[in-house]
Amino acid sequence: MTMKKQLYFVFLFVLAFINLSAQRDTEHWFAPFSSANLSTTAKQAVYLSTDSTTPFSVDIYNNNIVIGTVTISKGSPQMFDINAANMIGSTTADLFSIGTKGLYLKGTKPFFATFRFTVPAHGEILTSKGKAGIGTKFYAVVAPITNASSGMNFTTGVLATQDNTTVTISGYANNVVFTNGTTAAAMPTMTITLNKGQSYIVEGRGNQPGNLKGFIGAKIVSDKPISLTNGNFLGEYNIGTPLTGGDIVMDQSVPTDRLGKEFVLVKGYGNISSATEDALIVATEDDTKIYVNGDPTPVATINEGQHYRVNEVNNNNYINQGNDHYNMHVRTTKNAYVYQLLAGTATSSATIGFNYIPPLNCLLPRKIDEVGMIEKLPPSTSNNIKLNILTEKGATVNYTVNGGAPITPTAAQGPYDVTGTVDWVSYSITGVTGNVAITSTKAVTAGIAGGSGVVGYGGYFAGFTSVPVVSKSGDCVPGVVLEVGDSFESYQWYLGPNPISGANSYTYTPMQAGTYTVKVGMGGCFATTPVFVVESCYEQVTKSLIVCDAQKIIVPAFTNHNVAIVAGTLQIDTPPTKGTATIDAATGNIIYTPNPGYVGNDTLIYHFCANPATGVGCEQVKMTFIVDPNPTVKNVSIRSCYIAANPTTALFNLETAPVTTQTGLIKKYYPTLADLTNGTNEISPASAYISSDKKVYVKVINSNGCYSIAEITLVVIPPVKSTVLADKIICIENTATLDAGPGFDGYQWSTGATTQTINVGVGAYWVNLKSGECYTKQDVKVIQAVQPVISSLDIKNNTITVNVIGGTPAYKYSLDGINWQDSNYFENLPRGENSIYVKDFYNCEPIDVTVTVPNLLNAITPNGDNKNDYIDYSELAYKKNLVFNIYDRYGNKVHQATQFNAYKWDGTMYGKKIPTATYWYEITWTEPNKAQTQIKYSGWILVKNVD
């Protein structure tokens, strides 16, 4: 059984064309495979080696979880045991289902990686090809099965390097029958979606006729890079010989963009006559012609997915170049897969192996440094090794073992010409062990054939593309370092179409994002790598914004750097799903517009970049929008009843203003819009705000701080008074009807009455008049009518003139209280006591005054005869303020009667008689009534004095 090394490479980059010039790499992947019957004593391990003299660590992953870490350096390779369950499917549940088998290795410096595994009497090596081993298009290559038994199988496993990878398998023969019982006719294609680190294994057993060759050339396509392992866990492919047995025949594949058209194979340990040494060719395009050893006539022409076994027609294609050194030249007109079928011993089909053969190219590396523990299989079993070296003709070749002095191959070991090409020669060196490094002054590649009596295997260490490609360490600018193989003679790096001055090394550290290529040269052979895209570093940040309005403006800016973004670098990576986001070309801002009526969360991812000269890369922002539109509000008015003490104001409960119908909101009230804007002078408590007519403002806020502003117009409901209710004047003995008037919603009198009118006497009253919900208190009085007052009476002889003050005109006058006149003049009154009655407009009980009309003497003769000798008013002495004065015709007072002269006058003045003449007199007094009526009594008197 031959143990073959397969390279399992899971490629993590998005760009499928990114490749390496050799399998020495910083990352390696190994896809899983199936075993028809896995022994419990199976052993498997990864072997790691490097040319770096500085030790570094390598992490080993399964299903994205680190399962081990080793430290390696030049001369100190390491082996790490792997559980079979992490790589080998051996049960029905492991096949045709999404699983987590497979390995991913990552180091800080380039290294070689092989997955080596053994079961009793069988072994193989999967030689990782690094990033060169992952891609998006493959054709499966398994060995043809010549021993139709259920113990034989073909197997192919894929491993995803990125999430959401869709893989489609098709192109296998119609009569294939898979291990799960599904026929190719029933399932002409398989489509699987895998996430990073997930795998899928396909298998068919050798007891089905269609499975002997039917899966060779199956097409495997993915939308993101995958790694592929293919072959047979137990295969047997000898032709027409009685040999029996079988061995593991397996290797890691490479994507179609790594293929070429010219190949050289150097025979392993098998005898030509045993037909165990051969070449298996699979076409990737129609009309692929195959030429062997320079023969101008093609040995075959095959189409896409078809295969051709070179020695199946005749077994003379390996040419002995001397000393039993056999090699073979193969050329195809289109890119094709070439796998070498090997043998570990001369005559046994139980010690076979499988090597993917890389195409020849003058740009292949000049050294292979170093392959560790070249003869070992787990658990540290040593085997016979043949090291086959292929290099350009004229090159100087040597090798070292375990870091020793360079060894030059002997003439018996090579170089040997290759029939069909004058450019390449080959070497074979047996008995090699330990850690091996190979150097050449020209392009070089090497493979091993190993084995013992029961184990055969093969592995190949070389470049895997006809065109070198750029790889990188680091992720982005700044910090990324670009690298192409270090074995070329010349380098020129380009940014876009322009050469970069001084960039002439195999590495280059870019200072800005862009598309890079490098033109490499070796011995007059030049090639330019595919375009490699370098992006600015994304500093990923997560932010959130509350979206209240119909649009939200986002101003892109670096979160952690005070540098400007470069115009035109702003891009939306993932648009929102609950709205739209557009870049405003004029401002460079993002305008986010949520869908109408949407409430909830939305997500936008965008990025922008800085000028690389700043040393700052790009920032990617995952923006979560919390869409919670501003509350819906309206302007309203509220009314409140006036405050009696200040009728221009009212007490308002602002919290009752129906500015919104939404619930769960916070409301803050402010006396002015400026206060609301500044957050000053908030009204508190809003339930008891005293104000006159004005406008106040309310900020209505939801739980996310979104707010709207509403205007509340405050209306003071003024007092609504009765226009008919008025004070009444009545006589004290009467009552008045107080009428508040119609149109009110209720009446509450101070008397307790609730009617529109009440009848009351003199007094002070009030009524609460209800209009809507408001009451107006209105005072009213019933006033006693003011009685008129007889202020004075003028009596002349038997006439009286009544003088009245107070009361309310017009007055009525009467002498008996029955008969009334409008005139205040009475005549022909009798002497003595008389009553005068007066009433005013209100016709109340009249007032009255009793007055004395004295007997009048119009002449006196003061001659001492005791007849009419004097005027005597002593009878009026009881009157208050009685005054009795006599005047001559000139108005000169000639006498004043008082209590001292007994209110008499005898016609003298200062004791002397006055001349006979007519004199005037005037008598006044105050009537002793309530009104203190003034009485004036006047007349004339003739005085006759006789001498």
Side-chain angles (χ1 to χ4, degrees):
M1 162 185 177
T2 207
M3 175 178 187
K4 158 136 187 357
K5 163 187 175 184
Q6 172 170 358
L7 169 72
Y8 177 85
F9 177 84
V10 176
F11 187 53
L12 294 180
F13 298 101
V14 173
L15 302 177
F17 60 81
I18 298 177
N19 305 311
L20 288 183
S21 62
Q23 65 211 53
R24 169 182 165 273
D25 208 337
T26 58
E27 294 177 280
H28 296 270
W29 292 260
F30 293 98
F33 49 87
S34 69
S35 165
N37 185 15
L38 185 64
S39 169
T40 57
T41 61
K43 300 292 182 180
Q44 45 278 322
V46 286
Y47 289 70
L48 313 176
S49 60
T50 182
D51 62 345
S52 171
T53 57
T54 301
F56 63 93
S57 61
V58 176
D59 291 327
I60 304 165
Y61 294 80
N62 167 253
N63 191 27
N64 308 308
I65 298 172
V66 174
I67 60 173
T69 300
V70 298
T71 299
I72 60 174
S73 61
K74 184 176 176 66
S76 182
Q78 297 295 322
M79 177 191 78
F80 182 85
D81 289 329
I82 299 296
N83 291 328
N86 288 336
M87 272 294 291
I88 305 174
S90 58
T91 66
T92 301
D94 294 331
L95 308 178
F96 300 97
S97 63
I98 296 173
T100 57
K101 298 182 185 302
L103 301 177
Y104 166 59
L105 288 69
K106 182 176 178 61
T108 56
K109 295 179 180 294
F111 61 99
F112 289 99
T114 57
F115 178 77
R116 309 182 191 186
F117 55 106
T118 61
V119 294
H122 304 297
E124 182 62 290
I125 299 176
L126 304 181
T127 306
S128 172
K129 296 159 180 74
K131 299 184 185 73
I134 64 172
T136 58
K137 185 177 181 182
F138 299 80
Y139 288 84
V141 183
V142 300
I145 299 173
T146 58
N147 182 0
S149 72
S150 60
M152 303 288 170
N153 77 339
F154 68 80
T155 179
T156 296
V158 296
L159 177 67
T161 68
Q162 297 181 29
D163 287 343
N164 199 29
T165 299
T166 300
V167 181
T168 300
I169 304 173
S170 63
Y172 36 83
N174 240 7
N175 57 349
V176 168
V177 178
F178 296 105
T179 305
N180 64 355
T182 304
T183 65
M187 186 173 62
T189 63
M190 305 178 209
T191 299
I192 314 104
T193 299
L194 304 174
N195 286 329
K196 177 182 177 181
Q198 292 183 333
S199 56
Y200 191 84
I201 303 173
V202 175
E203 186 195 59
R205 298 296 176 85
N207 58 344
Q208 297 290 338
N211 294 352
L212 301 180
K213 299 180 180 181
F215 199 73
I216 302 173
K219 186 176 182 179
I220 301 163
V221 177
S222 62
D223 60 350
K224 296 177 183 178
I226 60 172
S227 176
L228 182 74
T229 296
N230 50 201
N232 316 73
F233 197 84
L234 185 61
E236 184 178 344
Y237 49 71
N238 57 294
I239 302 172
T241 67
L243 303 177
T244 60
D247 203 348
I248 303 174
V249 182
M250 203 171 301
D251 200 0
Q252 185 180 69
S253 185
V254 296
T256 56
D257 56 6
R258 296 291 184 176
L259 303 178
K261 302 172 186 175
E262 185 178 13
F263 311 85
V264 171
L265 294 79
V266 181
K267 184 184 72 66
Y269 276 116
N271 286 335
I272 297 297
S273 60
S274 300
T276 54
E277 299 273 351
D278 208 342
L280 181 63
I281 303 169
V282 173
T284 63
E285 299 180 59
D286 290 344
D287 194 31
T288 298
K289 294 179 173 57
I290 302 171
Y291 298 88
V292 176
N293 294 327
D295 191 331
T297 301
V299 295
T301 300
I302 57 177
N303 292 325
E304 177 189 6
Q306 292 181 341
H307 67 277
Y308 178 76
R309 183 170 175 178
V310 173
N311 286 333
E312 190 170 16
V313 176
N314 75 67
N315 200 17
N316 300 320
N317 295 298
Y318 267 116
I319 297 178
N320 187 351
Q321 303 292 349
N323 297 319
D324 289 329
H325 180 93
Y326 290 83
N327 57 34
M328 181 195 312
H329 180 267
V330 174
R331 182 176 65 86
T332 59
T333 55
K334 297 180 181 180
N335 287 353
Y337 287 93
V338 174
Y339 276 76
Q340 183 178 15
L341 304 177
L342 288 164
T345 59
T347 59
S348 173
S349 63
T351 59
I352 53 179
F354 205 44
N355 263 357
Y356 165 78
I357 302 299
L360 298 177
N361 188 274
C362 62
L363 295 175
L364 287 171
R366 270 46 177 169
K367 64 179 179 179
I368 302 170
D369 187 12
E370 66 180 354
V371 180
M373 298 178 277
I374 193 169
E375 80 286 6
K376 298 291 186 182
L377 288 176
S380 300
T381 303
S382 297
N383 294 275
N384 297 324
I385 293 294
K386 175 186 280 190
L387 176 62
N388 293 325
I389 301 173
L390 192 67
T391 188
E392 290 182 276
K393 196 167 188 177
T396 299
V397 175
N398 58 55
Y399 65 97
T400 62
V401 177
N402 297 327
I407 302 171
T408 301
T410 65
Q413 293 170 328
Y416 292 97
D417 290 336
V418 178
T419 303
T421 176
V422 296
D423 298 322
W424 297 87
V425 294
S426 60
Y427 296 79
S428 288
I429 303 170
T430 59
V432 181
T433 62
N435 307 322
V436 177
I438 303 165
T439 61
S440 172
T441 56
K442 296 186 178 183
V444 67
T445 182
I448 59 173
S452 65
V454 294
V455 173
Y457 57 90
Y460 217 96
F461 302 88
F464 293 97
T465 178
S466 59
V467 177
V469 292
V470 176
S471 64
K472 69 177 181 179
S473 60
D475 295 321
C476 47
V477 170
V480 67
V481 177
L482 303 183
E483 181 178 352
V484 73
D486 61 356
S487 300
F488 301 108
E489 294 174 346
S490 64
Y491 305 87
Q492 177 60 62
W493 291 87
Y494 291 78
L495 173 58
N498 303 313
I500 303 170
S501 177
N504 306 118
S505 172
Y506 73 97
T507 64
Y508 177 69
T509 302
M511 293 305 297
Q512 66 184 85
T515 56
Y516 288 83
T517 55
V518 59
K519 183 178 181 180
V520 298
M522 179 69 75
C525 182
F526 295 93
T528 299
T529 63
V531 171
F532 191 94
V533 178
V534 174
E535 295 182 344
S536 292
C537 290
Y538 276 177
E539 186 172 350
Q540 295 183 324
V541 299
T542 300
K543 298 182 179 180
S544 65
L545 276 179
I546 296 172
V547 179
C548 306
D549 301 311
Q551 285 189 333
K552 187 72 173 181
I553 305 298
I554 303 166
V555 180
F558 282 98
T559 303
N560 302 314
H561 309 284
N562 187 25
V563 297
I565 74 171
V566 174
T569 63
L570 175 62
Q571 292 184 25
I572 294 175
D573 302 324
T574 304
T577 60
K578 305 301 182 181
T580 60
T582 58
I583 298 174
D584 186 337
T587 64
N589 297 332
I590 297 175
I591 302 173
Y592 171 69
T593 306
N595 293 335
Y598 176 70
V599 177
N601 290 353
D602 201 359
T603 301
L604 166 68
I605 300 176
Y606 61 93
H607 77 269
F608 48 82
C609 301
N611 187 321
T614 66
V616 177
C618 298
E619 180 171 307
Q620 185 179 61
V621 180
K622 181 178 182 181
M623 180 68 72
T624 297
F625 296 111
I626 303 169
V627 182
D628 194 359
N630 290 323
T632 301
V633 299
K634 62 180 179 178
N635 296 336
V636 298
S637 295
I638 59 173
R639 298 159 55 88
S640 187
C641 303
Y642 73 97
I643 297 173
N646 187 358
T648 62
T649 65
L651 181 67
F652 294 93
N653 184 352
L654 303 181
E655 294 174 353
T656 64
V659 295
T660 183
T661 58
Q662 295 174 248
T663 59
L665 303 175
I666 298 172
K667 301 183 185 73
K668 294 186 176 183
Y669 302 85
Y670 298 88
T672 67
L673 193 56
D675 282 325
L676 184 148
T677 301
N678 298 326
T680 56
N681 299 320
E682 182 180 354
I683 297 171
S684 180
S687 59
Y689 181 57
I690 296 175
S691 175
S692 58
D693 286 347
K694 65 178 291 187
K695 291 179 179 177
V696 296
Y697 300 87
V698 56
K699 188 175 186 179
V700 183
I701 312 165
N702 64 23
S703 59
N704 283 310
C706 298
Y707 69 90
S708 297
I709 299 172
E711 181 181 271
I712 303 173
T713 300
L714 305 182
V715 178
V716 177
I717 301 174
V720 181
K721 292 191 174 184
S722 169
T723 58
V724 299
L725 182 63
D727 291 346
K728 293 292 183 72
I729 300 175
I730 64 170
C731 302
I732 190 62
E733 68 276 8
N734 291 341
T735 61
T737 298
L738 298 179
D739 186 354
F744 294 97
D745 298 321
Y747 306 85
Q748 294 178 352
W749 292 91
S750 55
T751 64
T754 58
T755 55
Q756 178 180 326
T757 63
I758 59 172
N759 290 309
V760 290
V762 172
Y765 304 91
W766 53 260
V767 62
N768 272 332
L769 301 172
K770 185 179 183 184
S771 297
E773 296 301 318
C774 296
Y775 288 88
T776 300
K777 187 177 183 182
Q778 188 168 342
D779 294 321
V780 66
K781 293 181 289 184
V782 177
I783 305 168
Q784 177 184 344
V786 177
Q787 291 285 63
V789 176
I790 299 173
S791 60
S792 65
L793 295 174
D794 292 336
I795 305 171
K796 290 184 179 180
N797 296 320
N798 62 347
T799 67
I800 295 177
T801 298
V802 181
N803 296 309
V804 178
I805 62 173
T808 302
Y811 303 111
K812 297 288 186 179
Y813 306 89
S814 176
L815 295 173
D816 58 9
I818 297 173
N819 299 300
W820 297 88
Q821 65 180 43
D822 293 330
S823 174
N824 65 337
Y825 181 75
F826 294 96
E827 61 184 356
N828 300 321
L829 294 175
R831 302 294 179 177
E833 295 287 335
N834 285 276
S835 293
I836 305 298
Y837 296 89
V838 176
K839 62 182 179 180
D840 66 2
F841 168 80
Y842 290 104
N843 198 29
C844 296
E845 288 292 327
I847 61 171
D848 65 277
V849 173
T850 300
V851 65
T852 302
V853 179
N855 291 324
L856 300 177
L857 295 177
N858 294 107
I860 62 172
T861 58
N863 56 9
D865 62 0
N866 293 322
K867 293 181 180 180
N868 298 320
D869 287 334
Y870 55 84
I871 296 174
D872 183 1
Y873 281 99
S874 60
E875 292 182 358
L876 296 176
Y878 70 92
K879 298 295 186 181
K880 185 179 180 181
N881 301 325
L882 177 64
V883 175
F884 174 25
N885 294 321
I886 305 296
Y887 302 90
D888 65 13
R889 62 179 178 172
Y890 301 108
N892 298 310
K893 182 187 293 187
V894 298
H895 177 75
Q896 179 172 352
T898 66
Q899 61 182 347
F900 298 106
N901 53 30
Y903 298 103
K904 295 179 181 179
W905 183 49
D906 59 2
T908 66
M909 179 178 180
Y910 303 120
K912 295 180 180 182
K913 292 184 179 181
I914 64 173
T916 298
T918 300
Y919 293 85
W920 296 93
Y921 65 88
E922 182 180 84
I923 304 171
T924 63
W925 68 86
T926 300
E927 279 292 329
N929 57 16
K930 182 178 180 181
Q932 299 288 294
T933 304
Q934 300 295 313
I935 306 299
K936 181 180 180 183
Y937 180 41
S938 61
W940 58 268
I941 185 169
L942 175 64
V943 177
K944 292 181 180 182
N945 276 316
V946 181
D947 296 330

